[in-house]
Amino acid sequence: MKKIINRPADFVDETMEGIVAACGDHIRFLNGDRRVLISGYPVKKGKVGIVTAGGSGHLPLFLGYVGAGMADACAVGNVFASPAYTKMAAAIRAADSGAGVLCLYGNYGGDRMNFEQAIEDCAFDGIRCRSVRACDDAASAPKENAGKRRGVAGIFYAYKCAGAAADQMRDLDAVAAVAEKAAANTRTMGVALTPCIVPEAGRPTFAIAEDEMEVGMGIHGEKGITVEKLMTADRTAGLLMERLLDDMPLPDGSEVSVLVNGLGGTPAEELFIVYRRVARILEERGVKVFMPHVGEYATAMEMAGLSVTLFRLDDELKELLRAPACTPFYTNANK
């Protein structure tokens, strides 16, 4: 596959330079460090800081949600690789304004280990931290082992609600409770049609036949739960919804936000075709949809495919979801 890049070894740093050059009114490097981004908006004294981190290759995850009303800082790793704990610690220190820091990230081994070390280091500076991990990928572990599930596109909702709670000047425990509540009410499942190519590897992350699709594929190319013959958009939406609703039943009268997320190589038109069917399935079940999101929110380089996320709402989460936010890759100013 052809790529428009310079040296593969420079891929991440040059991506970061381009993003800051284009979005300097939202974000900036921390002391010139191209692997730590902080919000360009003034930080309220006494506001809980929100820090995230993760590997590159998933734009707009993770750095794209740094800005007003969402995260305050992000440490960035190589493609599909965790950042160093020193970068996470630098992000935590930069985000702290005296009220402590929530570390909100996906449930991956390297990120868990490095955040634990970073939090331990920052504790010596008197910075209190709480950790919340997104575990929304319903395909990656059975319901009874939900704590082992991967964090995928649904982490967007945790960023949005926790960021809004922090902006309301809630304390650290309260902001963490909102993030935990959002994460507990989020389920995601996706399908992959093609692999992707990590620039420095130069080869596909997996192989799949032209007439096949992998159900439950992870955003790093992790194996899914089944390989199926390529389905129509309606059948694909039906399969994903059946599995999601089995994992998180929604009684008549429930309200959700829906995220139909492109993995990097799927046209927006196809995402809307899938959303059309998802919306009808929910309507038939008496479930209302509030603030649907359709687009690219968590990609895997140029992988073709998509994921569907259901975010179960109550009055508090609904209020926090519609609170204003503005980052380089997300704004809800028109919602």
Side-chain angles (χ1 to χ4, degrees):
M1 181 174 288
K2 299 174 182 177
K3 289 183 180 287
I4 302 175
I5 62 174
N6 296 309
R7 290 195 320 136
D10 295 331
F11 175 78
V12 176
D13 287 340
E14 290 183 349
T15 298
M16 299 292 288
E17 290 171 2
I19 291 170
V20 170
C23 307
D25 53 339
H26 294 294
I27 51 175
R28 58 188 174 87
F29 292 130
L30 176 62
N31 300 324
D33 188 337
R34 290 177 294 186
R35 297 304 180 94
V36 184
L37 282 170
I38 60 174
S39 175
Y41 295 92
V43 177
K44 300 176 187 175
K45 185 66 177 174
K47 184 188 88 70
V48 169
I50 298 179
V51 169
T52 191
S56 299
H58 300 304
L59 278 176
L61 277 185
F62 297 86
L63 62 91
Y65 302 120
V66 173
M70 294 185 81
D72 297 291
C74 178
V76 179
N78 288 329
V79 176
F80 298 175
S82 177
Y85 84 87
T86 53
K87 304 298 184 184
M88 294 175 174
I92 291 170
R93 292 185 178 100
D96 179 51
S97 66
V101 174
L102 171 66
C103 299
L104 179 55
Y105 55 98
N107 190 28
Y108 294 94
D111 294 333
R112 290 197 307 269
M113 179 180 68
N114 289 342
F115 257 121
E116 286 168 4
Q117 181 64 64
I119 289 169
E120 186 177 323
D121 281 12
C122 290
F124 287 109
D125 298 334
I127 301 173
R128 182 173 174 241
C129 296
R130 289 282 307 274
S131 279
V132 174
R133 296 191 294 271
C135 306
D136 57 301
D137 186 359
S140 56
K143 196 184 307 187
E144 57 269 24
N145 292 319
K148 296 181 178 180
R149 290 176 169 176
R150 300 179 291 241
V152 286
I155 195 174
F156 161 79
Y157 287 118
Y159 290 144
K160 180 66 198 65
C161 293
D167 262 9
Q168 293 176 353
M169 304 303 286
R170 302 189 194 186
D171 66 22
L172 179 57
D173 289 337
V175 173
V178 163
E180 289 169 346
K181 182 180 180 181
N185 284 281
T186 305
R187 301 290 189 280
T188 301
M189 187 172 288
V191 296
L193 308 184
T194 69
C196 61
I197 296 176
V198 175
E200 289 200 74
R203 61 183 182 275
T205 51
F206 63 94
I208 191 166
E210 283 293 315
D211 64 342
E212 292 179 339
M213 62 197 302
E214 185 139 10
V215 179
M217 172 67 68
I219 58 173
H220 300 107
E222 299 97 335
K223 188 173 179 59
I225 51 177
T226 62
V227 174
E228 306 283 350
K229 290 298 182 182
L230 188 62
M231 301 178 190
T232 64
D234 282 359
R235 286 189 62 202
T236 300
L239 172 65
L240 296 178
M241 289 296 288
E242 178 183 357
R243 293 180 180 270
L244 290 170
L245 292 169
D246 179 65
D247 199 89
M248 186 175 69
L250 298 172
D252 188 356
S254 299
E255 193 164 14
V256 297
S257 181
V258 176
L259 169 61
V260 177
N261 169 64
L263 292 176
T266 301
E269 291 88 343
E270 296 177 23
L271 303 181
F272 281 105
I273 291 171
V274 170
Y275 177 74
R276 157 191 160 276
R277 181 59 189 150
V278 168
R280 288 180 182 175
I281 291 170
L282 291 170
E283 182 181 14
E284 290 164 2
R285 288 174 169 261
V287 177
K288 298 178 182 178
V289 177
F290 175 75
M291 284 183 67
H293 295 73
V294 181
E296 291 186 340
Y297 289 78
T299 65
M301 299 295 291
E302 71 278 12
M303 185 185 290
L306 57 87
S307 62
V308 175
T309 300
L310 298 181
F311 179 40
R312 183 169 51 193
L313 297 169
D314 63 9
D315 289 343
E316 179 188 36
L317 293 175
K318 188 174 178 179
E319 174 199 357
L320 294 169
L321 181 58
R322 67 180 161 204
C326 187
T327 78
F329 290 83
Y330 178 78
T331 178
N332 62 352
N334 296 321
K335 298 293 185 182

